[in-house]
Amino acid sequence: MTEEKFDAIVIGAGMAGNAAAYTMASRGLKVLQLERGEYPGSKNVQGAIMYSNMLEKIIPDFRDDAPLERHLVEQRFWMMDDTSHVGMQYRSDDFNESRPNRYTVIRAQFDKWFSRKVREAGATVLCETTVTELARDADGNVIGVHTDRIGDVILADVVVLAEGVNGLLGTRAGLRETPKPETVALAVKEMHFLPEEVIDQRFGLKANEGCVIEAAGTISRSMAGLAFLYTNKESISIGIGCLVSDFAATMESPYDLLENFKNHPSVRPLIADSEVKEYAAHLIPEGGYKAIPQLFGNGWVVAGDAAQLNNAVHREGSNLAMTSGRLAGEAILQVKKRGDPMVKENLALYKSKLDKSFVIKDLRKYKDMPALLHTNSRNFFTTYPQLLSQAAQNFMRVDSTPKLDKERATTAAFVKERSRWGLVSDAVRLAFAWR
């Protein structure tokens, strides 16, 4: 193994790493993929949403054997206070199409399937292998890796870093800075198991249909955060995440937040009598466009969460990871086909491809949104939900109070909070951030 030289080494076997490795191996490159987990997906027990359009560009016939849970036909968004929620939802039978757009998946199963496809494409995959250091030549160019199980350097023309947001290799090598606490969220998640027919009944589903609920409000205790609930075939993925910097500042317990969300009156009936079998914590990049590091250099490129490629505004990550991995692989293939060296000037093609894709276009469009939500978290995650709940309850509660008096009370509450927290300023800035 140590005497071989590979066309490319991919570090990590998540969405980005598998996409990059498959793209290159399926087109004839000699690829080595290294994963520190016991098997691909062993560190990802949680459920997730998989976007079919992005995977179709890599494996067009993935539906034939991929471990898909449910195709999504309904999306709900809740703004919650302590005892209620104000919601909006969209459901359409159009999503019961022959090639559905979104699926829920369980990452441990899906990543293992994806890795099998990588092997079938011709790549060599080694698990339980930690890359300890990038190997460099006398000029500082990356020429391979050192690992904890193979003594000598493993050589390659290029190294793809897809090690996740908390990967240490890139930061130790000086290729990117350590992510700041305000640009990373910590999400805690549980898997609640229920019979398939019970899930169908509780969510009004049938025939592998799925539903997603995303929720914000007082459940995050004034921190910038989001809770979620995904329906799988025989389980429900439920979790909540907030910025690491907020957890540090407030000393709130992530586990307590999750317990509070699970016991909310709107959530508790949905998971009643379920069996909890898995609990996990996961770091998620939240910095957006302004947190993206240098993406390429002499002998290396970085993709997926390691590159902060996550759309926090639209809660999208796996599609950006798969697309960035695929584009990294395609750029490397083109450089290789031309017979050019894997130097910075040539690997800039990867960045060019990303810039032309939805990945960078979407992140650039909403580049100011993360900072706005994070710096005004009390307004967005406490004050607004409480005002909405109060307004809705005033509207729905019928008593002897004149409607005009109720309207005045609601308006007075809004005016009070507006002067106290600057709500109008928030609304104006939010509108401009969405433009």
Side-chain angles (χ1 to χ4, degrees):
M1 176 69 69
T2 58
E3 295 179 356
E4 292 185 82
K5 182 176 181 180
F6 293 86
D7 293 317
I9 294 174
V10 178
I11 302 171
M15 292 287 197
N18 282 331
Y22 183 89
T23 298
M24 293 184 289
S26 64
R27 301 185 198 180
L29 292 196
K30 186 177 181 180
V31 178
L32 172 65
Q33 186 177 35
L34 302 173
E35 162 60 35
R36 62 186 175 89
E38 181 181 357
Y39 56 86
S42 62
K43 305 188 301 297
N44 290 313
V45 300
Q46 77 273 12
I49 296 177
M50 194 281 297
Y51 303 86
S52 61
N53 176 267
M54 292 72 192
L55 185 55
E56 281 176 331
K57 290 181 169 62
I58 304 166
I59 306 176
D61 59 352
F62 75 89
R63 292 180 180 87
D64 291 349
D65 60 352
L68 307 173
E69 292 292 306
R70 293 174 181 261
H71 67 274
L72 296 174
V73 299
E74 183 175 349
Q75 179 93 26
R76 306 178 192 175
F77 185 82
W78 292 351
M79 188 68 79
M80 308 180 80
D81 68 1
D82 292 342
T83 59
S84 58
H85 75 265
V86 177
M88 57 179 289
Q89 67 187 68
Y90 180 74
R91 180 178 181 132
S92 176
D93 195 54
D94 292 344
F95 292 128
N96 284 313
E97 52 202 337
S98 60
R99 301 167 68 85
N101 177 252
R102 298 189 302 163
Y103 297 88
T104 55
V105 297
I106 297 173
R107 284 291 302 275
Q109 299 172 9
F110 184 83
D111 289 5
K112 191 181 295 185
W113 168 85
F114 207 164
S115 180
R116 188 178 76 248
K117 292 296 183 181
V118 172
R119 293 175 189 267
E120 291 173 358
T124 299
V125 181
L126 290 181
C127 296
E128 296 183 283
T129 304
T130 300
V131 177
T132 57
E133 185 182 3
L134 294 176
R136 299 177 184 267
D137 63 16
D139 297 320
N141 302 319
V142 173
I143 58 171
V145 300
H146 296 279
T147 75
D148 62 348
R149 62 181 286 181
I150 301 170
D152 298 331
V153 63
I154 308 175
L155 299 175
D157 293 331
V158 64
V159 175
V160 179
L161 288 91
E163 54 180 343
V165 65
N166 59 332
L168 298 176
L169 186 63
T171 55
R172 286 173 177 170
L175 306 184
R176 59 189 178 101
E177 295 181 357
T178 300
K180 298 177 181 178
E182 60 268 24
T183 66
V184 178
L186 174 64
V188 289
K189 312 177 183 186
E190 288 181 349
M191 295 286 285
H192 288 243
F193 286 80
L194 285 165
E196 183 175 354
E197 60 272 17
V198 173
I199 295 175
D200 289 345
Q201 182 181 27
R202 291 182 181 179
F203 291 87
L205 305 170
K206 64 182 189 315
N208 293 322
E209 292 178 340
C211 174
V212 168
I213 299 173
E214 295 176 318
T218 60
I219 50 173
S220 62
R221 298 177 184 172
S222 295
M223 297 185 290
L226 186 78
F228 57 87
L229 188 155
Y230 306 150
T231 56
N232 305 311
K233 284 182 180 178
E234 296 182 330
S235 65
I236 295 173
S237 303
I238 186 169
I240 188 169
C242 296
L243 289 177
V244 171
S245 57
D246 284 349
F247 278 127
T250 63
M251 299 302 292
E252 292 280 1
S253 163
Y255 179 79
D256 288 345
L257 289 187
L258 180 56
E259 286 297 303
N260 184 55
F261 178 57
K262 287 160 48 183
N263 286 292
H264 190 280
S266 298
V267 176
R268 189 169 56 245
L270 299 176
I271 59 173
D273 301 320
S274 62
E275 181 181 4
V276 182
K277 292 187 178 180
E278 296 173 352
Y279 175 86
H282 182 61
L283 289 175
I284 303 171
E286 294 277 331
Y289 180 77
K290 295 182 179 179
I292 297 174
Q294 176 69 26
L295 296 175
F296 59 94
N298 290 322
W300 62 272
V301 298
V302 59
D305 284 2
Q308 287 276 337
L309 299 178
N310 181 69
N311 188 335
V313 176
H314 291 90
R315 291 86 57 207
E316 296 176 8
S318 64
N319 54 339
L320 281 72
M322 286 190 289
T323 299
S324 64
R326 173 177 63 82
L327 294 178
E330 289 178 354
I332 291 168
L333 280 162
Q334 287 183 236
V335 174
K336 186 75 174 178
K337 185 176 180 180
R338 296 196 304 253
D340 293 334
M342 298 292 174
V343 295
K344 184 175 183 179
E345 292 76 14
N346 295 327
L347 291 174
L349 177 62
Y350 165 51
K351 178 64 163 56
S352 177
K353 287 177 174 289
L354 269 180
D355 287 343
K356 295 175 182 177
S357 74
F358 77 93
V359 175
I360 297 299
K361 288 180 179 179
D362 285 355
L363 292 176
R364 184 186 293 119
K365 177 176 174 60
Y366 302 108
K367 64 181 184 298
D368 295 322
M369 283 292 291
L372 174 60
L373 293 174
H374 299 165
T375 56
N376 297 275
S377 59
R378 180 180 177 84
N379 288 353
F380 290 113
F381 299 96
T382 298
T383 307
Y384 293 163
Q386 291 173 339
L387 286 173
L388 283 172
S389 178
Q390 181 179 342
Q393 189 160 146
N394 283 345
F395 176 78
M396 299 185 69
R397 186 181 292 277
V398 178
D399 52 27
S400 58
T401 305
K403 299 296 188 288
L404 182 59
D405 290 350
K406 289 188 175 186
E407 293 172 4
R408 286 171 175 167
T410 300
T411 302
F414 178 82
V415 170
K416 178 181 178 181
E417 295 300 332
R418 179 185 64 185
S419 60
R420 183 180 180 189
W421 299 111
L423 303 193
V424 171
S425 175
D426 276 351
V428 171
R429 284 185 289 170
L430 186 62
F432 274 101
W434 273 96
R435 289 180 59 187

